[in-house]
Amino acid sequence: DPEELDSFEVGLKSTWWEGRALTNVALFYSDYQDMQIPGSVGTDSDGDGINDGFVGTVTNAAKSEIFGVEVEANFLFTENFSAQFSASFLDASFTEYLVGDVDVSDERQIQNTPEEMVFVGLNYNTDLAGGNLLINTNYSYRGDVQQFEIAQPDIDQEGFGLLNASIVWTSGDEQWLVGLHGKNLTDEEYRTAGYCFGFSGCPSALGLENNTTVFFGPPLTGFVTVEYRFQ
């Protein structure tokens, strides 16, 4: 059946510090009724009483509430030096989650919904060799997440941060761009997705394979870019 969402938001957008600072703040509340939850259930294709496969399902399992605050800011400290900041803080929870006729909302969490996310970026630009040199570094943090509503330590991800940096030179006619880039400079190991089909440690056994698959984000990566723009 359809899910219903009532959402309310109030915010403030402001410019201050003689126009060198922009800040946006928003508070919001969301109330889900008949929330649609994707999932999987085992299937018995040959009638022998053993689930040898599985199919995807969508059910109106849940009601949930989400409270949150979002902050965005841009600062121009000098003509050459600027910064960006953004953050979000969430309190998201199921108020009802029915499996059959049993409410298990205390045992479920909303998937891929961190309680906190933060981003900080610093930029410095200056003239160099007849062009412009831009130096950027940024740090982002993402709080704990569960891949699915039921906790699974082998595939869930604890909070982690990523540090990136880049140096890009642009020629005076803006036709040439040469860049040096570094991603995940602290070589953080972090999970981005996963599936748990096993019989031990998984929330449910789907099919006959005892298999857990985990996908990770890129490790420390460095690369050079060269761009030419035709005019």
Side-chain angles (χ1 to χ4, degrees), residues 18 21 28 38-39 43-44 63-64 104 115 131 148 155 173 208 215 219 227:
E18 299 180 344
F28 60 90
T43 57
D44 179 7
K63 298 178 182 179
S64 68
V104 295
E115 291 185 355
F148 300 100
I155 61 176
D173 57 9
L208 301 178
F215 300 92
E227 178 181 344

Side-chain angles (χ1 to χ4, degrees), residues 1 16 63 66 143 147 164 172 178 191 194 228-229:
D1 294 329
W16 47 284
K63 298 178 182 179
I66 302 174
Q147 299 293 341
N164 306 312
V178 181
R191 304 176 179 92
Y228 180 76
R229 297 173 178 174

Side-chain angles (χ1 to χ4, degrees), residues 61-84:
K63 298 178 182 179
S64 68
E65 290 182 335
I66 302 174
F67 300 87
V69 57
E70 294 180 344
V71 180
E72 296 179 347
N74 290 274
F75 302 98
L76 182 62
F77 297 109
T78 70
E79 184 178 349
N80 303 94
F81 182 49
S82 62
Q84 295 81 43

